[in-house]
Amino acid sequence: MHLRGIVLPDDDIRDLWVHEGIVSFERVPGADTLCDSGWIVPGLVDAHCHVGIRYGGGHEDHDGAIAQAEVERDAGALLLRDAGSPIDTHFIDDHEELPRIIRAGRHIARPRRYIRELGIELDDERDLPQIVAEQARRGDGWVKIVGDWIDRSVGDLRPLWSDAVLAEAIEAAHANGARVTAHVFGEDALPGLISAGIDCLEHGTGLTDDTIAMMVEHGTALVPTLINIDTFPDIADSAGKFPVYAAHMRDLHRRVRDTVGKAHDAGVPIYAGTDAGGSIRHGRIADEIAALGAAGLSAHDALGAASWSARDWLGRPAIAHGAPADFVVYREDPRTHPAVLAEPAWVVLRGRVVASASPVTGHR
């Protein structure tokens, strides 16, 4: 196929050809013209989602996981970092019409310190390095640990792991070629996670000026999952037995956009993730991009956090000669007309149109 349009992130007006699933900057004779105007954006990235967790809770079945991936694809999210799933979703790799997935294996937690039945629960924290190494070998270059969760004995968020064990576990992941990310809501777990060499933080609502500075020093990334943080007031309302925890969650929610804005201004790399699965429906990457903009990222940077910047961070190419043809086409500039993010004109994955609002226009 052939396309002409404005290619992001460089805003170059150029012709693209696609042959055998690969982008070419050289003319391919006889190619069908998909479009002769528009904005061509590297396939969107949901850098924190959960294919395999049913909306409302529980494990998805085979067909349900495929349906979740289809919803992401139709929203233009063609690369997913699955930040923990209770099921093995490698079967999705056999479907060329479904997004590419980078898996972090299963969540690693302690008993009664995470959502029941979703993760691997360790009775003894000293087993963490071994389990992290096993998950590193089974995953796609990432491991996910639960850094903090409510401790009902104290009625508030508390870290799950000692600093020494964290350092050993992260070293084990790195030795097995994997990066490590952590679920973390509160403040107390952050210094230990960052000092141990964690590669990324999920949510990060408890960040302070000091821990933001630590992230900058260590090169730690942040995926803030802002549309998920919007559920914190509901979580607090359901936690009547734990008033300290409820108040803490409301405070984290109240200041989260300022927190993310400060992290961005300080130079922390920030990427878009919806936390879809469980309490958040799939296909909401446009909402997360909008939320990042409301937190202080420019329209260009917010879109990049869900496209070219996230792809570079995850080791996947954007739009380049010889790269896989995974991109989304919009009729208007999605940075100045953000509503079009929810209505892509064409979604192209592995060189095929997998979702479309328009017919192919002819030959060129």
Side-chain angles (χ1 to χ4, degrees), residues 174-231:
H174 291 168
N176 282 276
R179 290 183 277 183
V180 185
T181 194
H183 164 106
V184 57
F185 284 160
E187 297 85 356
D188 294 347
L190 287 164
L193 289 165
I194 300 167
S195 296
I198 198 87
D199 299 282
C200 183
L201 298 173
E202 311 298 317
H203 319 302
T205 44
L207 286 167
T208 64
D209 290 346
D210 288 343
T211 46
I212 287 171
M214 290 178 66
M215 291 184 73
V216 173
E217 178 184 356
H218 287 264
T220 314
L222 174 65
V223 181
T225 68
L226 289 170
I227 63 172
N228 179 54
I229 306 310
D230 286 341
T231 68

Side-chain angles (χ1 to χ4, degrees), residues 52-63:
I53 299 179
R54 180 172 291 130
Y55 179 70
H59 299 197
E60 262 300 357
D61 57 20
H62 179 280
D63 291 343

Side-chain angles (χ1 to χ4, degrees), residues 24 74 81 100 102 114 128 170 214 230 238 248 255-256 263 296 311 325 343:
S24 175
D74 292 349
R81 187 180 65 139
R100 305 173 193 269
I102 297 172
Y114 194 59
L128 181 64
I170 292 170
M214 290 178 66
D230 286 341
S238 67
H248 195 178
R255 54 189 169 92
V256 65
R311 284 181 165 272
E343 300 177 352

Side-chain angles (χ1 to χ4, degrees), residues 120-195:
I120 299 169
E121 297 183 352
L122 305 185
D123 292 320
D124 189 336
E125 72 160 2
R126 292 174 296 182
D127 294 332
L128 181 64
Q130 174 188 340
I131 300 302
V132 162
E134 290 177 2
Q135 290 296 299
R137 291 190 290 269
R138 294 175 182 175
D140 298 320
W142 282 91
V143 177
K144 170 78 173 290
I145 64 175
V146 178
D148 70 359
W149 195 253
I150 186 172
D151 182 338
R152 290 166 176 81
S153 67
V154 297
D156 199 5
L157 295 165
R158 287 291 183 272
L160 272 70
W161 318 98
S162 66
D163 292 354
V165 165
L166 281 174
E168 187 180 350
I170 292 170
E171 182 180 0
H174 291 168
N176 282 276
R179 290 183 277 183
V180 185
T181 194
H183 164 106
V184 57
F185 284 160
E187 297 85 356
D188 294 347
L190 287 164
L193 289 165
I194 300 167
S195 296

Side-chain angles (χ1 to χ4, degrees), residues 21 27 35 54 64 66 96-97 109 116-117 124 137 181 189 225 230 246 252 285 302 304 317 347:
R27 182 183 179 91
C35 64
R54 180 172 291 130
I66 287 178
E96 293 193 353
E97 78 283 5
R116 191 174 65 177
E117 298 181 355
D124 189 336
R137 291 190 290 269
T181 194
T225 68
D230 286 341
L252 293 171
I285 190 62
V347 178

